Amino acid sequence: MKLISLAILFAGSLSAQGVTQKLLTEPAPDSWPGYHGDYSGRRHTALTQITPENVGNLALSWVFQTNQTTVFKCTPLLVDGVLYVTVTDNVWAVDARSGHMIWHYAYPPNKGFHIGSRGVSMYGNWLYFMTPDAHLVSLNASDGKVRWNIPVADSAKGYWTTMSPMVIRDHIIVGVSGDFDNLTGFLRSVDPETGKTQWKWDSTPPVGTPNATSGGMTWMTGTYDPALNLIYWGTGNPTPVLTGKTRPGNDPYTCSIVALNPDTGKLVWSFQPSPHDTHDWDAVEIPVLVDADFHGKPRKMLMQTSRNGYFFVLDRVTGENLLTAPFGPVNWAKGLDSKGQPIPNPEKEPARDGRLIAPDEGGLTNYRSPSFDPKTGLFIVDAHPSYGIYFAKPEDGEFGWAGADYGVWGKAVLEAIDYQTGKLRWTHELGPNGSGAGVLTTESGVLFTGDNAGNVIAMSTADGKTLWHAGQGSGMQSSPIAYELDGREYVVTSAGGLLFAWALPQSH
């Protein structure tokens, strides 16, 4: 274990109380205490210093570089003037005003799957970091020293972890990944002080259960409604992935949105965006929580742009479907059932001679975070209109992938969806193939994202017009955040192993 510490120089900035439940529920302008900013997943900030009129004056304030070849896929946490950022096996504490490193923690070499890290979580003055070999590590936020290290799942079986855990009171809620093998997905709640398991919810039955599926991985950080005391989580695809003959029926609770009690792990309701999935379209995309009128009636809603190409609006109290609409080319479903769930067309399942499917295996969107702007009522997502060819390969057996897919065509488009109708209000082309950037909107009417040419872009939230852009050298694979320190608003973006902080000149 390698630990480089400069904490003495920054001891003043690290002496505050850290993260409280109040801060997680109502983040202050000088903080970004959770993966989504707040519990809702809206990725919308109340900051207004940067406006459509002055955003053209944005300038680079500082750059932090990891000196690693691994790219940033994390959302930085900001607490007490310190940013905490990650790539696989590494955590850094960075001064949020200057970009100077405070300390660096390196997890020991391991055989886990190094696909990426979404970031750390924090409670009190302790950080919680998930590793490629499916461990949860608790670090002291002041100096990066390890408090404890526990296994969440058995990496030797094929599990790995990438997510930023969710913190709710005395629960650290973690999920798992691993769909190369036939494994059971689950959520686990652990004690923040000891790491001991409090409850575990399995998304699929034990492996080998007759006529049942495995899978249902819980890749990404969910969202939480404190008033209802419910967490909302998306689950992954069933396994074997591209063949469904061993798992008849809809394969609950794979490719589903589930509502659980965070104190007990008990399931309250579920909704399945992709019943009997055979295209690797998990439903782990962010379940965004919005309180607003829907067709003239006040509703507590959950919205998701799913990887399978459909936009869903649900009543998050009951799980009732309010709206299902495609947000790009979709050709794999015959229609919708009485619950608003798509009905798979058996003729679009992978076949020996191939099937042309929209969207492709990467999906019409993926892990990148969308944003909801309450002023315009727009759900804004980095979309990937695309086509792919899916093949069935019986010689692959009934384990893991069990088939093949090949991308044919795709592009990146930022889409603004009217949640009342599911219709696109505006679109903005981001380039061929795809873009990995998430979206941030601000109360002043500016949104930030990235294109596939390595630019960070500011647009008008209302109509998608470009207001400003700057080259970062490579594409963004994370989601922007914003914060205000000493009366100055910063927007933080990434490219490769670089973190960029943008702000208006001091004179503004």
Side-chain angles (χ1 to χ4, degrees), residues 23 27-32 47 78-82 482-486:
L23 185 66
D30 62 353
S31 68
W32 192 279
L47 298 178
L78 173 68
V79 180
D80 298 329
V82 179
Y483 58 87
E484 184 177 290
L485 288 174
D486 307 323

Side-chain angles (χ1 to χ4, degrees), residues 92-106:
W92 290 267
V94 178
D95 187 278
R97 294 174 173 86
S98 66
H100 291 154
M101 185 181 76
I102 301 171
W103 54 256
H104 170 215
Y105 165 78

Side-chain angles (χ1 to χ4, degrees), residues 215-493:
M217 296 299 154
T218 48
W219 290 74
M220 298 291 295
T221 309
T223 49
Y224 173 58
D225 184 332
L228 297 175
N229 194 33
L230 290 177
I231 58 173
Y232 303 93
W233 223 279
T235 67
N237 50 274
T239 50
V241 181
L242 301 187
T243 179
K245 62 183 180 180
T246 64
R247 44 180 178 85
N250 285 350
D251 306 320
Y253 296 97
T254 66
C255 295
S256 295
I257 300 166
V258 297
L260 306 176
N261 183 311
D263 298 315
T264 63
K266 299 296 183 183
L267 180 72
V268 176
W269 60 257
S270 69
F271 178 87
Q272 195 168 35
S274 290
H276 192 70
D277 174 62
T278 54
H279 300 97
D280 188 34
W281 293 324
D282 55 48
V284 302
E285 294 71 45
I286 308 304
V288 179
L289 311 185
V290 175
D291 293 342
D293 283 356
F294 184 80
H295 295 179
K297 180 180 178 180
R299 290 277 194 171
K300 296 174 76 68
M301 292 173 285
L302 181 153
M303 304 178 190
Q304 185 193 66
T305 41
S306 195
R307 187 167 165 177
N308 68 12
Y310 284 93
F311 171 63
F312 299 95
V313 181
L314 309 179
D315 183 310
R316 71 175 184 269
V317 180
T318 64
E320 174 194 358
N321 176 266
L322 304 177
L323 176 73
T324 301
F327 61 103
V330 174
N331 73 354
W332 60 273
K334 296 191 295 184
L336 304 176
D337 66 16
S338 60
K339 298 179 181 179
Q341 300 172 158
I343 303 169
N345 183 348
E347 294 182 2
K348 294 296 185 178
E349 292 198 5
R352 191 65 162 167
D353 56 349
R355 291 293 181 269
L356 183 66
I357 304 297
D360 67 9
E361 184 266 333
L364 199 51
T365 190
N366 207 293
Y367 69 85
R368 59 193 74 97
S369 290
S371 180
F372 181 82
D373 177 62
K375 277 190 173 180
T376 61
L378 292 177
F379 188 105
I380 301 171
V381 61
D382 184 351
H384 177 57
S386 54
Y387 289 83
I389 298 178
Y390 282 81
F391 292 92
K393 300 175 70 176
E395 61 270 24
D396 285 353
E398 299 169 353
F399 191 85
W401 210 251
D405 63 273
Y406 301 92
V408 174
W409 172 87
K411 64 177 181 177
V413 182
L414 198 68
E415 297 183 350
I417 304 171
D418 183 333
Y419 79 91
Q420 298 277 0
T421 64
K423 303 295 185 182
L424 301 185
R425 188 90 60 85
W426 57 256
T427 62
H428 186 112
E429 299 278 335
L430 297 173
N433 301 317
S435 167
V439 185
L440 172 76
T441 58
T442 73
E443 191 68 12
S444 58
V446 181
L447 75 83
F448 293 91
T449 190
D451 65 15
N452 76 336
N455 295 300
V456 55
I457 309 173
M459 302 179 196
S460 166
T461 307
D463 57 20
K465 291 182 179 178
T466 301
L467 303 172
W468 168 87
H469 75 277
Q472 297 189 132
S474 63
M476 192 189 312
Q477 297 294 313
S478 64
S479 302
I481 71 165
Y483 58 87
E484 184 177 290
L485 288 174
D486 307 323
R488 194 179 189 199
E489 182 179 343
Y490 296 82
V491 175
V492 175
T493 61

Side-chain angles (χ1 to χ4, degrees), residues 153-178:
D154 187 350
S155 61
K157 292 182 178 178
Y159 285 104
W160 69 85
T161 51
T162 66
M163 63 170 288
S164 170
M166 173 176 276
V167 179
I168 300 174
R169 298 185 299 276
D170 59 343
H171 305 292
I172 308 297
I173 300 171
V174 297
V176 290
S177 311

Side-chain angles (χ1 to χ4, degrees), residues 42-288:
R42 294 185 305 163
R43 292 270 175 171
H44 180 81
T45 176
L47 298 178
T48 58
Q49 187 180 100
I50 299 170
T51 68
E53 293 72 32
N54 66 26
V55 68
N57 297 313
L58 273 188
L60 189 61
S61 179
W62 53 257
V63 179
F64 171 75
Q65 53 185 331
T66 63
N67 296 314
Q68 304 268 336
T69 57
T70 310
V71 304
F72 275 119
K73 292 184 177 180
C74 75
T75 291
L77 247 57
L78 173 68
V79 180
D80 298 329
V82 179
L83 289 163
Y84 300 95
V85 296
T86 68
V87 299
T88 49
D89 291 335
N90 293 271
V91 184
W92 290 267
V94 178
D95 187 278
R97 294 174 173 86
S98 66
H100 291 154
M101 185 181 76
I102 301 171
W103 54 256
H104 170 215
Y105 165 78
Y107 186 69
N110 62 90
K111 295 181 180 180
F113 186 42
H114 287 62
I115 191 174
S117 172
R118 312 296 181 203
V120 292
S121 298
M122 188 172 179
Y123 194 56
N125 200 41
W126 302 105
L127 299 174
Y128 300 90
F129 174 55
M130 303 206 75
T131 70
D133 60 349
H135 281 229
L136 176 65
V137 181
S138 178
L139 303 173
N140 189 321
S142 300
D143 54 19
K145 292 183 179 178
V146 176
R147 175 171 57 154
W148 47 253
N149 176 344
I150 62 163
V152 170
D154 187 350
S155 61
K157 292 182 178 178
Y159 285 104
W160 69 85
T161 51
T162 66
M163 63 170 288
S164 170
M166 173 176 276
V167 179
I168 300 174
R169 298 185 299 276
D170 59 343
H171 305 292
I172 308 297
I173 300 171
V174 297
V176 290
S177 311
D179 58 0
F180 297 148
D181 303 282
N182 293 3
L183 299 168
T184 296
F186 62 84
L187 287 175
R188 187 187 298 274
S189 176
V190 304
D191 186 289
E193 295 300 318
T194 65
K196 291 183 178 179
T197 295
Q198 297 166 325
W199 55 258
K200 180 171 174 279
W201 176 81
D202 291 330
S203 51
T204 52
V207 175
T209 301
N211 294 321
T213 187
S214 52
M217 296 299 154
T218 48
W219 290 74
M220 298 291 295
T221 309
T223 49
Y224 173 58
D225 184 332
L228 297 175
N229 194 33
L230 290 177
I231 58 173
Y232 303 93
W233 223 279
T235 67
N237 50 274
T239 50
V241 181
L242 301 187
T243 179
K245 62 183 180 180
T246 64
R247 44 180 178 85
N250 285 350
D251 306 320
Y253 296 97
T254 66
C255 295
S256 295
I257 300 166
V258 297
L260 306 176
N261 183 311
D263 298 315
T264 63
K266 299 296 183 183
L267 180 72
V268 176
W269 60 257
S270 69
F271 178 87
Q272 195 168 35
S274 290
H276 192 70
D277 174 62
T278 54
H279 300 97
D280 188 34
W281 293 324
D282 55 48
V284 302
E285 294 71 45
I286 308 304
V288 179

